Amino acid sequence: MNVCEKHQSSITNNSNNDLITICKQLLQQQSFTVQGDIRNKLIELGFHDISSSTVSRLLFRLGVIKIPNASGKKVYCLPNDDKLIKINTSIASQIEFITHNQLVVIIKTKPGSARIIAKFIDRNPHQEILGAIAGNDTIMIAPRDINHITECEKAVDLCLGRA
């Protein structure tokens, strides 16, 4: 029984918990490239009063991110979803180079990919990485200890499936 059938047959009240559960199930079962498609599906499932801003807040609350799928289209994905494990190849294809200057590690990406990759690094912590800050096409990685900058760069490579 898919999420639509489950919802239509067993869920009659549209409480916040139901909305969260249904949204998670939708994101696990289908690929969405825009929030409007998620909203339309939720309306179809009985959440008639849901607004675009409610969908946006819901996705933020769930920690949903957009990642490139196998064809390069960015789709919404739950942060702990198995799809994240499968995206290493897609992420690696977005990276132009990784280097360091004895103080920070820099990742140069294709335009628009830096924030997604930085979020992926932050959600997959490593003891050598303190944190990541991203722009449009550049990520700055702060090492936990600048005396271990080479180890930090290797940790970044490993995290991104390039090692």
Side-chain angles (χ1 to χ4, degrees), residues 5-105:
E5 292 164 342
K6 282 182 187 176
H7 179 72
Q8 290 168 345
S9 67
S10 66
I11 297 176
T12 56
N13 95 23
N14 292 346
S15 73
N16 199 33
N17 287 339
D18 290 340
L19 179 60
I20 291 168
T21 301
I22 295 299
C23 189
K24 282 182 181 179
Q25 290 174 343
L26 283 173
L27 291 169
Q28 290 167 342
Q29 294 177 358
Q30 299 178 34
S31 291
F32 295 95
T33 56
V34 294
Q35 289 182 14
D37 291 345
I38 297 169
R39 179 177 176 263
N40 291 339
K41 192 64 173 177
L42 290 168
I43 289 170
E44 209 177 284
L45 294 172
F47 295 92
H48 301 291
D49 296 330
I50 194 157
S51 67
S52 296
S53 58
T54 300
V55 172
S56 182
R57 285 190 298 273
L58 177 62
L59 295 177
F60 178 79
R61 181 176 176 192
L62 292 173
V64 172
I65 58 173
K66 281 187 107 173
I67 59 169
N69 64 13
S71 63
K73 256 187 170 174
K74 291 183 181 177
V75 296
Y76 287 98
C77 187
L78 292 167
N80 295 326
D81 197 332
D82 290 341
K83 289 179 185 175
L84 285 178
I85 295 166
K86 297 174 188 170
I87 64 162
N88 280 344
T89 305
S90 295
I91 284 180
S93 71
Q94 299 300 307
I95 298 169
E96 293 182 9
F97 65 85
I98 300 174
T99 190
H100 70 83
N101 68 354
Q102 301 301 320
L103 187 59
V104 295
V105 175

Side-chain angles (χ1 to χ4, degrees), residues 137-156:
D137 62 359
T138 306
I139 305 167
M140 183 181 78
I141 306 290
R144 195 159 301 278
D145 181 343
I146 60 170
N147 294 317
H148 296 131
I149 192 74
T150 303
E151 291 85 351
C152 182
E153 183 178 2
K154 287 178 185 174
V156 169

